[in-house]
Amino acid sequence: MMLQRRPLPLQRETLCCLSLLVALSLPSPARAQPAVATTQTPNVAGQTPVSLKLKWTPRPRVRRYRLQVALDEKFTDIVFDRAVVGLEHEVTGLQQGKYYWRVAPATPETGRYTAPALVEATAYAPPTATPTPVAPVLAVVMRPPANVGWQAVIGAVARPIAARLRAGKNFDLVALNSDGAVYALDGSDGSALWSARVQGQPPGDAAKERSGNVFTPLVLHASAESRSVVAVAFAEGVRGLDGETGRELWRTALQGRLAGGTVAQMQGEGGTAEFAIATSDPDMLYVLDSKKGSVVSRTKLNGAIIGLPIPFSHGDVHGVAYALDNRQLDIRRRDGSVVRAIKFDVPFTTPPLVLATPRGTLVIVGTEHGLIFFEGSELKPLGRITTEKDAPRGRLTAADLDNDGMIEIVMVTRNGRVAVISTAGKVNWASEGATDAYMATFANLNNDGVLDVVAASGASFALGFSGRDGTLLWRGDDNPKANATTGDGTLRTLTSSLSSTGAPLLVGGDANRSAVRAVGLPTAAGNAAVK
């Protein structure tokens, strides 16, 4: 897989009743062209690391270029990736050895790359001046420390969940493996707290996992006043387990196969959180009392739910929002009554994302053509972002990346791209490499005051992209030789924890589909926990 980031050209459109319309172009990778000139200039003998000074021929009316350096000719293991100004640049901090490099115009969209050129970094060459960096980003892609992290061999886990299972312990984990066993793990070292077999209803086949309809456990977090509850599937419905011990608290029979669920404050502030669970065959929405497992309400749906219901709150309205495969977007209260419903003209591909913004509640949902923005109280369409020959998948996520009070939306697409979009409709950047990602998460990787975007990525376990411009900052390594061909189409999510020494960890299922592993993030990541 070739990893490259492409700035996105925006095309404004005009359409009645929509106030925000942006065309988002996500082109396929460009073909390589013949190699250009290169000069290597490692540092003075005896000093490590070494550096490479690279030069290339000019392109007409191009001043800004995209430079990539990798360990392999296919650029699957990139060690340097950034925009530079001029016709030469010195890449520092490299180990001695052979590298491949290439450049492409970057004004404003990344153009056609040159053919990969081989160059060797050796221990000696005449010293040269290092050009001033164009932007304060790291030159070499960061890697996890080898002595931080853990691995729990409990089988294939697609979506581990950060959970507060024990009062006073903020970094436990719940993991459901592909054989239908649920594990509670200590997030600091991966040791098992308890496990439970989900009889008769494993997560489902690969096709269901790719579609996003996998019933992952639901966790009502522990507090000073109450113990945690973990809701898991079983053959006839749902079981409620004590989060600290795994002891069964209740079990409730439900019709149909569990599709997805959420924990929602459906009684408003101060009310007890409840489980909202959707089933298929028949298509139903259940609200369960989280402490007793009793059915509060059951509602027949007009289609199969996409992914899972999402908590919704606007003014005195509390409930859940969800998208159906019949192109309908609904908001329902605790008793099952409809707050709002709208039928659209294209199929939905993601659950809705519900955001509280300074201008009110915003609902965003992925479709076969891109993203649709709705005003929350009436579900009035506000605008759209279209994706050319691509579509959002999994779940949308959001965060205020640059701490300016404005939330950014992050989507992952079917072609493995990750894009950051403002709530005002501006496409900030898009990068390639999120091949296995169900959704993106966030961490401050380089301590620059901006949250960066982290996504699952095949044999690399995970990649971290600069929240500023999508530059590759960090790579969480697996063994490329062992994992390059093991992908089965299952989409993975990542979550966070802390080691026993307080080091920030990124946790997810490994690319071999055999274990849950935690890798160390840069120390700076502790300044903004992964979300």
Side-chain angles (χ1 to χ4, degrees), residues 316-472:
D316 60 354
V317 175
H318 305 280
V320 291
Y322 55 85
L324 299 176
D325 66 355
N326 71 345
R327 308 180 183 186
Q328 184 168 313
L329 180 64
D330 284 359
I331 299 172
R332 288 185 186 267
R333 296 184 179 89
R334 179 174 184 260
D335 62 4
S337 60
V338 176
V339 178
R340 297 283 182 271
I342 184 172
K343 199 75 174 284
F344 215 67
D345 58 352
V346 294
F348 296 117
T349 60
T350 75
L353 174 68
V354 181
L355 297 177
T357 74
R359 297 183 179 180
T361 304
L362 189 65
V363 178
I364 308 103
V365 64
T367 76
E368 288 289 349
H369 296 166
L371 298 182
I372 303 292
F373 291 70
F374 297 93
E375 184 273 330
S377 63
E378 300 291 335
L379 286 185
K380 293 179 180 178
L382 297 176
R384 70 185 182 192
I385 291 178
T386 60
T387 50
E388 297 178 4
K389 300 179 181 179
D390 207 349
R393 76 176 182 202
R395 285 187 64 180
L396 307 172
T397 51
D400 183 358
L401 298 183
D402 52 6
N403 200 31
D404 64 351
M406 299 294 292
I407 296 174
E408 283 77 36
I409 302 157
V410 182
M411 74 171 175
V412 177
T413 74
R414 287 176 181 164
N415 290 338
R417 282 120 178 184
V418 56
V420 170
I421 302 142
S422 73
T423 51
K426 177 186 176 184
V427 182
N428 294 345
W429 55 261
S431 293
E432 296 183 5
T435 52
D436 288 1
Y438 177 66
M439 63 183 185
T441 188
F442 309 97
N444 186 355
L445 296 172
N446 56 355
N447 201 23
D448 64 350
V450 173
L451 281 177
D452 304 306
V453 178
V454 184
S457 181
S460 296
F461 178 66
L463 297 177
F465 303 96
S466 166
R468 295 181 184 275
D469 59 10
T471 299
L472 181 64

Side-chain angles (χ1 to χ4, degrees), residues 13 42 90 136 161-163 186 190 199 222 240 243 274 284 314 337 393 406 408 422 424 432 480 490 506 511 520:
E13 302 175 350
E90 186 166 8
I161 303 161
D186 186 313
Q199 295 291 340
E274 295 165 310
M284 302 284 292
H314 178 82
S337 60
R393 76 176 182 202
M406 299 294 292
E408 283 77 36
S422 73
E432 296 183 5
T490 303
L506 185 71

